[in-house]
Amino acid sequence: MSPSRRTVRIGTRNSPMALAQVDRVQAMLTDRYPDIAVEVVSMATSGDRWHGDLAALGGKGAFTKEVDAALIDGHVDVAVHCVKDIPGDRPAPAGTVLAAYLTRDDVRDCLVHPGGLPIGELPAGTRIGTSAVRRVAQMALHWPHLTPVPIRGNANTRLAKLDAGEYDALLLAVSGLHRIGHARRITHPIDVDTMVPAVGSGTLVLQCRDDDTATLELVAGLGDPRAWAETVAERTMLHILQGNCHSPIGALARTEPDGRLHLRARVIGLDGKDVLDVHEWHTDPLTLGTSVAAALLRQGARELLSQ
């Protein structure tokens, strides 16, 4: 495709991290298609404006629905989302498609501690800022002497609250801190076998209208087949389990040297006492995600998640 003097409108949240992500997409588009112009349309979402429990807004969809609406209404041509912000218990909004998964960034969680201590050396009662139930449950499993404390706001806001002494440490995503230029704040990247990442960690996806052939062709070349396969395997598992932002579910798919996919998934009770782990391999991401979800259900995932 050779677009000529076309303007592509990219919709995004207006948080610093979201805008940094759009800068990456804009650079990829203009590098591949020098003749196009890119217009960034940023907006505050209900999730950004609300400072209470996300459950009152329907969970993670609170961070995507305004951008999705702008896409559906034709005000933007492409929406840029972090995959882990997209609800996993329901499909993409009608009339849209997740068109291109970008090359995956670091998937790990990390500790940010002003004193530079790794998480295993923190004293009992250390207040760790996090609102992710997946992290809270895995803290209870590995470090039950630490105290998770709810926190809201974007990564910059959370770092400011840490610096103000409202928390003793934070759990954040490694990729997010890199994107906003705060990689130096990372104290301890946590191994993925200890803290299993969120579904879609480290992956950005470009969403388009399913009838916008020109834009679909434009963004298709930006996608990474490995990121697509890994993320689809994880999200298939999550969808079958009907997981959402209040579900203590972690998963990580990796492409093996022989081309097969490996998916490791964990469902864990919030007190850390009940842990379900499944590891499987397959060549097809949909089959793999389905098989892993079925194995978790046989182990009692539905009952554990209902708690």
Side-chain angles (χ1 to χ4, degrees):
M1 180 178 182
S2 300
S4 178
R5 298 298 176 186
R6 179 182 169 189
T7 297
V8 177
R9 300 162 300 167
I10 301 179
T12 178
R13 295 167 61 188
N14 63 4
S15 71
M17 189 178 301
L19 294 173
Q21 293 164 176
V22 168
D23 286 345
R24 172 182 172 184
V25 175
Q26 182 172 4
M28 293 175 71
L29 280 170
T30 54
D31 180 66
R32 190 177 183 90
Y33 307 111
D35 291 332
I36 72 168
V38 175
E39 177 186 349
V40 177
V41 181
S42 62
M43 61 201 78
T45 68
S46 51
D48 295 311
R49 293 188 295 266
W50 176 254
H51 298 292
D53 188 342
L54 283 178
L57 297 178
K60 285 187 178 179
F63 291 113
T64 61
K65 63 182 181 181
E66 284 85 357
V67 181
D68 289 344
L71 177 65
I72 293 167
D73 292 343
H75 298 307
V76 300
D77 306 303
V78 180
V80 179
H81 295 306
C82 289
V83 170
K84 68 178 185 177
D85 286 337
I86 301 176
D89 54 353
R90 53 187 183 270
T96 74
V97 62
L98 302 180
Y101 295 81
L102 305 189
T103 301
R104 206 164 195 181
D105 296 324
D106 198 316
V107 301
R108 292 174 295 176
D109 296 286
C110 67
L111 182 78
V112 177
H113 183 259
L117 293 177
I119 194 166
E121 295 181 13
L122 296 177
T126 299
R127 301 167 301 157
I128 310 291
T130 180
S131 291
V133 294
R134 173 189 59 86
R135 290 172 176 154
V136 170
Q138 294 185 97
M139 279 179 59
L141 172 64
H142 298 295
W143 309 285
H145 62 289
L146 304 179
T147 304
V149 182
I151 188 171
R152 284 293 317 281
N154 60 48
N156 297 78
T157 299
R158 297 185 186 202
L159 290 169
K161 291 179 177 180
L162 174 66
D163 294 339
E166 297 181 35
Y167 302 85
D168 301 319
L170 300 176
L171 282 174
L172 294 170
V174 169
S175 59
L177 289 170
H178 276 277
R179 289 169 187 165
I180 62 173
H182 282 299
R184 62 181 178 80
R185 300 294 301 267
I186 297 172
T187 303
H188 174 205
I190 304 173
D191 183 84
V192 295
D193 289 326
T194 301
M195 181 76 77
V196 182
V199 166
S201 288
T203 307
L204 300 179
V205 67
L206 308 185
Q207 185 177 8
C208 304
R209 289 183 297 279
D210 59 13
D211 61 354
D212 186 357
T213 304
T215 301
L216 288 170
E217 292 179 358
L218 193 72
V219 305
L222 305 184
D224 175 34
R226 288 182 57 170
W228 170 82
E230 293 168 1
T231 309
V232 166
E234 294 170 14
R235 282 182 57 80
T236 299
M237 178 277 303
L238 185 67
H239 179 72
I240 292 171
L241 293 184
Q242 287 294 283
N244 55 45
C245 66
H246 295 284
S247 304
I249 301 172
L252 180 61
R254 285 300 199 197
T255 305
E256 303 285 4
D258 63 3
R260 291 186 305 160
L261 284 170
H262 167 249
L263 176 58
R264 187 264 179 97
R266 169 182 282 174
V267 178
I268 183 170
L270 287 180
D271 59 5
K273 295 179 180 178
D274 297 305
V275 183
L276 310 179
D277 265 306
V278 173
H279 300 252
E280 291 192 11
W281 290 259
H282 205 280
T283 55
D284 178 68
L286 289 169
T287 301
L288 180 58
T290 301
S291 179
V292 167
L296 287 167
L297 289 171
R298 287 194 298 270
Q299 291 184 23
R302 186 73 70 211
E303 293 75 16
L304 187 56
L305 289 171
S306 69
Q307 299 172 12

